Amino acid sequence: MNGPLLEVADLNVIYKTYEGTVAAVNGVEFSLEAGRTLGLVGESGAGKTTTALSIMGLVPSPPGIITSGSVNFAGKNLLSLSEKEMKKIRGNHISMIFQDPMTSLNPVVTVGVQISEALVAHQNLSEAEAEKKAMEMLEKVQIPGQRYREYPHEFSGGMRQRVVIAMALACNPGLIIADEPTTALDVTIQAQVLELMRSLKEEFSTAMIMITHDLGVVGEVCDHVAVMYAGRIVETGSLEQIFGNARHPYTLGLFRCIPDIEEETSKIRPIEGLMPDPLDLPSGCPFHPRCPQCMDLCRTVVPGVLDDGGHRVMCHLYGKGGAVHG
Amino acid sequence: MADLIKVENLVKYFPVAAGNVHAVDDVSFAIKEGETLGLVGESGCGKSTTGRLLIRLIEATSGRILYRGRDIASADKKTLHDMRKEMQIIFQDPFSSLDPRKSIGETIGKPLEIFGMGSKREREEMVDALMEKVGLSPRLFYKYPHELDGGRRQRVGIARALSLSPSFIVCDEPVSALDVSIQAQILNLLQELQETMKLTYLFVSHDLSVVKHISNRIAVMYLGKIVESSPSLELFSNTLHPYSQALLAAVPIPKLDRKRERFILSGGVPSPINPPSGCRFHTRCPWKMDICSREEPPLTDRGGGHFVACHKVK
Amino acid sequence: MNNENGTLFAPSSGRTKEREKRRSPWWEVWRRLRRNKAAVAGMSVVILLVVVAVLAPVLAPYDPNQTNIKMRLQGPSSEHPLGTDNFGRDMLSRIIYGSRISLYVGFVAVGIGAVFGGILGAIGGYYGGRLDNFIMRCMDVLLAIPQIILAIAIVGALGTSLLNLMIAVGISQLPRYARVVRASALTVRGQEYVEAARAVGASDARIILENILPNCMAPIIVQSTLGVAQAILSAAALSFLGLGIQPPTAEWGSMLSSGRQFLRNAPYLTFFPGLAISVVVLALNIFGDGLRDSLDPKLRQ
């Protein structure tokens, strides 16, 4: 295949609410090669989930509106497809893993049937073939195949999330979007699930977008990182670039405010101030009110993107200024 | 410093249809005045229950809780009411811990009203002072919880807990529902308050890095029991119990070169209704020996106040 | 704004007078309700009726009890827009005055039911266990008896009077308030703010009155608006059966009842009181529905 598997360009999404218009995603751009994993990091309200839903064509409408942009997946602009065409892609070529395995499984249907549903729908398998394949998938996520006929409540939280992963992988999709897949799990279970995701990703050579607020999780599974703040990607690059040489003040702040478990530090340095109000985003650089290095320029002009060997930063400290998408 | 609070053989069983949930099973520890004990463990290990037992929000099945040498586990209603001034709690969820129908000012001032402190006007001034103390502008007095973000709601919860000038505060996962950048603000606030107001904390959390940051001592709980307890730094430099090691190894670290080895436990936590015999961790333990399923290892001192309950650790 | 959380000891920016103004959660409910046209229409009708009831002596063209045998059973005319009844009394005036009794009965009966039912439900929901079981089984017993029969029995036992009518209708409505309040009290009880209130030493009575009940207001209010409509219907039905308001007092139910004998040659005697009842009930129901939507926290944002 030529070019990246997924290319998101100039994506803008707004939510029209009673209180006003929420600019959820503002000119998001990134691309992802087949088989690679991108970590989409940010705090609540950064627009991570909305970005993912836009790719899936699942932005709730109303109130959500995709005002502009394109999502090219395997050569097709997903935003221009009809709902019927999208249905063929969802669960087949792109699938999603949600945060809470409790609510993303149907409690009254056996896990086996839930896994084979997608196979029957998308791959024209007979029930028997689908059952066989579903059992294989269960084994792949380290659940004995004979538990096929059990219901979600018979599994523990970590096991349920594995079932969800098996469902997502069943049709061998090109891309999986995982929205905080381990946030609801305990640390030791999280470690198990992350380990499993790491090995399956290699086995199936599936590309993945991992949405998370936890930089540690990103470090465990991702090759690329995109840091989001107030609906924009403020910094993106390879794992080494971001973890080894973070440049944006927000990214630096994020690293600094996590207490280090390996080193001895007495004080952590928080990012001052509050999360921006999504109804009333700051002018200029959205991070300027909280930025320790804020300059006059930052208050008025949206910074351009400086690209340094794939390490892209949106900050006046590094760029020459000027609005790129503004 | 003397022990502010001392817990001896604390037990809490919750009766359910299938038997008893062994939420807290024979737990003993002490917290020195002005210090922080971090209580860590995974969901269902009994850490939150322990916190609530300590300030008698739930009644213990058996055991003693000594506060400045006085047993409060058996205190009568009147004594308990007076104890409320001494011991407070900060909750995990800044959304459900504030009454949506009460303004911020009312919520913070309520404890003062209950204890009949000052006139209405004096109370309002005290609330203003409390709000400033936790970094909230007194302008927000008439705001309602839904108008504030998570970080500021949590500050309201802290101000409420501080209103009666307690000595001891149970912090029940006070930052786990907050965004990372806000988490750090609240942690720093808690530390500053501890210094200025000479507070003693029981800090309950599932997050080892947060606990390490704020605690003087740490106790690791597993299925209702303390498996290891030691001075904070010692626990990280010299982790002895296999469960603590696994817990530590499981924390994802935002670094390129992680120093620690991977150590992934298999399986999940067994049911607390019929906990495993012997050492409760033996079903998942990589070092399991014969004795582990038969005999419960006692929590013994390995020197320097480092306690471990494991047959293998010598 | 941005920096107010920045430092721990923020500059002491304001004393009491500089506080931002009070804006209660009800203000938001009202804002959402305003967008629901049907609900606003329903509410307007209800308010209009209350105004009519209050201003009855001014609005009514005639004395509602003034009989005039010469003018009996007149059809609607310019002199008597809704006609006259079998005693020659002006129907329009009687309906205007009747609104007083109907609305009075409706609101007071609901008040009785909501206050007592609400408290019983809150107590049951908060304490749980045996007390809850006892209260709720009593409510089940009341529910098992059809409302109207229960009301008949109560009026029968207490005797016919306006007050007894309201008590009877109120008691027959008790269980539904107890049930909805108990259901929400069960959820509220589990919230951390109730635990927080206990941690700061609040007594059970204080918690029920200050935390539980205010947070159960949404279902109480919705039930009440629907309940007023029902109470008016029950009162009308009891009056229709001769157990409520006694003639000659103007009341929609009793008017309906006495007009029944003249259904063939003077249908307007039953039509207009019936229409009045329908309009109030419909308006209250639409208003109640709209209120439920705007009180539903899930629809916020």
Side-chain angles (χ1 to χ4, degrees):
Chain A
M1 194 190 300
N2 302 318
L5 174 76
L6 176 77
E7 224 175 348
V8 175
D10 192 31
L11 184 67
N12 284 283
V13 184
I14 58 168
Y15 290 109
K16 287 226 183 255
T17 69
Y18 288 150
E19 277 76 24
T21 303
V22 175
V25 173
N26 305 304
V28 158
E29 263 178 43
F30 64 87
S31 60
L32 182 63
E33 311 273 338
R36 308 309 296 269
T37 299
L38 172 75
L40 209 51
V41 194
E43 299 179 88
S44 57
K48 306 169 298 222
T49 300
T50 304
T51 304
L53 293 178
S54 312
I55 297 169
M56 296 289 286
L58 289 175
V59 174
S61 175
I65 303 166
I66 298 177
T67 50
S68 70
S70 62
V71 176
N72 281 306
F73 175 78
K76 261 185 265 181
N77 183 1
L78 298 185
L79 297 184
S80 65
L81 295 185
S82 66
E83 177 58 27
K84 206 173 150 198
E85 289 167 308
M86 267 317 282
K87 274 205 177 115
K88 285 189 197 137
I89 289 181
R90 279 200 292 263
N92 192 15
H93 299 297
I94 307 179
S95 53
M96 194 146 177
I97 299 171
F98 293 94
Q99 174 173 348
D100 190 354
M102 198 67 179
T103 50
S104 54
L105 289 172
N106 183 343
V108 296
V109 178
T110 63
V111 296
V113 171
Q114 295 193 56
I115 298 171
S116 48
E117 252 170 13
L119 291 163
V120 174
H122 294 298
Q123 311 223 315
N124 292 322
L125 295 187
S126 69
E127 302 258 332
E129 286 168 321
E131 182 174 328
K132 196 163 152 272
K133 182 84 195 289
M135 282 194 187
E136 269 171 44
M137 288 313 302
L138 277 176
E139 299 278 355
K140 286 254 189 268
V141 295
Q142 295 156 15
I143 294 174
Q146 62 265 31
R147 298 195 68 176
Y148 181 90
R149 275 169 236 290
E150 291 183 19
Y151 289 89
H153 72 264
E154 295 172 84
F155 293 82
S156 66
M159 297 271 245
R160 273 192 219 120
Q161 197 60 304
R162 286 164 197 245
V163 171
V164 174
I165 293 171
M167 271 167 76
L169 280 170
C171 296
N172 200 1
L175 175 66
I176 286 185
I177 301 176
D179 190 356
E180 305 262 10
T182 57
T183 308
L185 306 175
D186 275 319
V187 254
T188 59
I189 308 297
Q190 164 170 291
Q192 292 171 1
V193 171
L194 288 179
E195 179 69 31
L196 176 75
M197 287 177 87
R198 211 166 16 227
S199 68
L200 289 177
K201 194 182 80 182
E202 255 152 54
E203 187 183 338
F204 286 76
S205 61
T206 309
M208 185 158 79
I209 296 176
M210 178 82 148
I211 296 173
T212 178
H213 67 280
D214 188 338
L215 281 166
V217 170
V218 172
E220 298 275 324
V221 284
C222 301
D223 324 296
H224 291 273
V225 187
V227 181
M228 285 192 82
Y229 187 81
R232 294 173 193 273
I233 292 181
V234 294
E235 183 164 10
T236 173
S238 68
L239 188 72
E240 290 74 25
Q241 283 166 336
I242 303 292
F243 276 47
N245 183 29
R247 305 179 84 177
H248 197 283
Y250 176 64
T251 317
L252 289 165
L254 272 186
F255 278 107
R256 269 194 219 117
C257 65
I258 306 167
D260 194 322
I261 203 164
E262 292 184 332
E263 308 295 329
E264 209 180 306
T265 43
S266 60
K267 199 100 181 146
I268 35 173
R269 280 185 286 166
I271 303 175
E272 305 293 351
L274 305 170
M275 300 294 290
D277 178 358
L279 286 165
D280 182 22
L281 291 178
S283 60
C285 169
F287 187 59
H288 87 256
R290 302 177 74 187
C291 183
Q293 287 158 286
C294 176
M295 306 175 287
D296 283 344
L297 184 63
C298 306
R299 290 179 230 279
T300 48
V301 183
V302 178
V305 175
L306 175 82
D307 193 333
D308 177 10
H311 187 171
R312 293 154 63 94
V313 191
M314 200 180 110
C315 179
H316 286 304
L317 289 172
Y318 309 102
K320 291 165 294 292
V324 169
H325 21 254
Chain B
M1 278 285 185
D3 289 339
L4 180 78
I5 201 156
K6 195 158 189 244
V7 173
E8 291 173 354
N9 308 104
L10 195 63
V11 175
K12 178 66 189 179
Y13 292 163
F14 292 104
V16 293
N20 277 330
V21 174
H22 296 231
V24 177
D25 212 345
D26 195 8
V27 160
S28 303
F29 58 84
I31 312 174
K32 286 195 170 53
E33 195 155 2
E35 289 203 340
T36 301
L37 174 71
L39 203 54
V40 275
E42 296 180 281
S43 52
C45 73
K47 55 187 192 304
S48 286
T49 308
T50 306
R52 283 166 165 75
L53 285 172
L54 248 59
I55 60 166
R56 276 199 52 193
L57 275 179
I58 40 183
E59 301 293 333
T61 307
S62 68
R64 302 213 303 160
I65 302 160
L66 300 167
Y67 180 82
R68 296 193 200 275
R70 250 165 73 203
D71 187 4
I72 53 168
S74 55
D76 57 31
K77 239 182 154 179
K78 170 81 181 58
T79 324
L80 184 66
H81 187 73
D82 291 338
M83 292 305 295
R84 297 287 181 216
K85 274 193 271 192
E86 296 282 319
M87 327 174 86
Q88 277 302 317
I89 179 165
I90 298 168
F91 293 94
Q92 169 176 8
D93 187 349
F95 292 85
S96 82
S97 64
L98 301 181
D99 189 332
R101 300 246 177 264
K102 290 203 165 35
S103 71
I104 303 311
E106 274 178 90
T107 295
I108 301 175
K110 186 57 67 185
L112 298 170
E113 189 194 320
I114 290 172
F115 281 90
M117 293 184 180
S119 65
K120 186 159 186 283
R121 161 121 209 102
E122 284 165 344
R123 285 202 296 264
E124 285 199 6
E125 269 166 26
M126 286 192 254
V127 171
D128 280 355
L130 280 164
M131 287 175 80
E132 280 182 13
K133 197 175 238 169
V134 299
L136 282 172
S137 160
R139 291 187 291 115
L140 304 173
F141 192 94
Y142 289 123
K143 288 266 175 195
Y144 282 85
H146 70 269
E147 296 174 282
L148 304 185
D149 59 291
R152 287 196 287 184
R153 283 156 169 261
Q154 198 55 294
R155 286 171 197 266
V156 174
I158 294 172
R160 171 177 58 196
L162 292 178
S163 61
L164 297 170
S165 327
S167 314
F168 176 63
I169 297 184
V170 173
C171 306
D172 186 14
E173 304 252 15
V175 298
S176 50
L178 305 175
D179 274 316
V180 249
S181 70
I182 307 298
Q183 259 186 25
Q185 292 177 2
I186 298 293
L187 283 177
N188 281 353
L189 173 67
L190 287 172
Q191 277 187 323
E192 295 193 41
L193 291 170
Q194 178 164 41
E195 279 161 36
T196 53
M197 300 181 71
K198 308 269 181 298
L199 297 170
T200 306
Y201 291 147
L202 175 73
F203 196 97
V204 176
S205 177
H206 70 278
D207 188 333
L208 268 173
S209 45
V210 166
V211 165
K212 179 196 177 206
H213 178 71
I214 200 158
S215 310
N216 303 89
R217 267 190 86 81
I218 295 178
V220 180
M221 280 187 86
Y222 185 77
L223 270 176
K225 294 220 175 257
I226 292 180
V227 296
E228 182 165 9
S229 113
S230 96
S232 174
L233 296 174
E234 163 85 6
L235 183 80
F236 289 86
S237 57
N238 181 25
T239 320
L240 295 176
H241 198 281
Y243 177 66
S244 314
Q245 291 181 357
L247 207 56
L248 196 56
V251 178
I253 295 189
K255 283 187 179 175
L256 287 175
D257 47 338
R258 41 182 304 147
K259 295 176 186 163
R260 292 166 302 114
E261 279 179 33
R262 257 181 230 303
F263 176 13
I264 296 180
L265 287 179
S266 57
V269 182
S271 158
I273 295 176
N274 285 309
S277 59
C279 172
R280 295 200 172 168
F281 186 59
H282 83 257
T283 52
R284 299 170 81 194
C285 185
W287 304 345
K288 190 192 160 211
M289 304 180 295
D290 283 344
I291 187 173
C292 299
S293 54
R294 284 182 279 114
E295 238 174 79
E296 192 181 322
L299 194 63
T300 41
D301 197 345
R302 310 280 152 170
H306 193 155
F307 293 82
V308 188
C310 180
H311 289 299
K312 186 90 181 176
V313 179
K314 282 288 175 299
Chain C
M1 183 73 183
N2 290 304
N3 226 350
E4 77 161 74
N5 272 346
T7 46
L8 171 54
F9 297 105
S12 119
S13 51
R15 291 252 67 99
T16 323
K17 44 186 161 325
E18 282 168 58
R19 286 169 185 157
E20 276 174 30
K21 74 167 198 286
R22 210 178 256 276
R23 211 164 78 174
S24 88
W26 297 114
W27 187 82
E28 212 171 283
V29 170
W30 164 235
R31 233 162 37 110
R32 274 197 302 270
L33 185 69
R34 246 177 3 192
R35 283 193 202 90
N36 186 338
K37 296 221 172 61
V40 171
M43 191 180 63
S44 313
V45 171
V46 175
I47 291 172
L48 188 76
L49 276 162
V50 171
V51 171
V52 166
V54 171
L55 298 180
V58 183
L59 294 174
Y62 300 92
D63 178 341
N65 296 329
Q66 175 77 56
T67 56
N68 184 349
I69 300 301
K70 272 184 259 163
M71 295 293 287
R72 68 191 292 267
L73 295 176
Q74 300 275 312
S77 64
S78 57
E79 216 173 324
H80 296 281
L82 303 183
T84 57
D85 69 1
N86 51 331
F87 294 108
R89 296 177 292 198
D90 179 50
M91 283 296 283
L92 177 62
S93 303
R94 284 184 71 74
I95 284 181
I96 289 175
Y97 270 90
S99 70
R100 293 184 134 188
I101 304 280
S102 286
L103 292 178
Y104 183 52
V105 170
F107 285 111
V108 173
V110 162
I112 294 172
V115 169
F116 291 102
I119 289 175
L120 283 173
I123 290 175
Y126 179 68
Y127 286 105
R130 282 190 191 165
L131 183 63
D132 179 35
N133 247 324
F134 176 74
I135 293 174
M136 293 326 287
R137 294 303 77 76
C138 290
M139 294 299 121
D140 286 349
V141 170
L142 283 184
L143 266 186
I145 307 167
Q147 248 189 48
I148 195 76
I149 293 181
L150 183 64
I152 289 171
I154 296 169
V155 174
L158 298 177
T160 49
S161 78
L162 185 60
L163 180 69
N164 291 345
L165 175 71
M166 294 189 294
I167 292 175
V169 175
I171 290 179
S172 68
Q173 287 207 350
L174 232 141
R176 48 152 127 182
Y177 295 101
R179 286 171 76 107
V180 294
V181 172
R182 175 180 173 268
S184 40
L186 279 176
T187 354
V188 174
R189 179 179 69 165
Q191 299 287 313
E192 281 182 345
Y193 59 81
V194 171
E195 228 178 334
R198 282 201 287 135
V200 297
S203 62
D204 286 349
R206 190 188 272 273
I207 291 174
I208 290 175
L209 289 175
E210 291 186 2
N211 299 105
I212 306 275
L213 278 175
N215 281 291
C216 300
M217 280 316 279
I220 295 181
I221 288 175
V222 172
Q223 273 297 324
S224 299
T225 52
L226 303 177
V228 168
Q230 274 240 323
I232 290 175
L233 280 181
S234 304
L238 287 177
S239 301
F240 180 87
L241 295 171
L243 288 167
I245 309 304
Q246 299 304 308
T249 317
E251 197 274 344
W252 296 345
S254 53
M255 287 165 71
L256 203 63
S257 159
S258 47
R260 176 183 47 146
Q261 319 158 35
F262 307 98
L263 204 59
R264 267 166 191 276
N265 29 19
Y268 52 88
L269 288 190
T270 45
F271 177 76
F272 290 114
L275 184 69
I277 293 173
S278 313
V279 167
V280 183
V281 171
L282 190 66
L284 277 165
N285 271 312
I286 293 174
F287 175 54
D289 266 356
L291 205 55
R292 172 172 48 217
D293 290 348
S294 51
L295 282 168
D296 187 350
K298 268 177 268 165
L299 293 174
R300 283 200 181 151
Q301 288 249 311

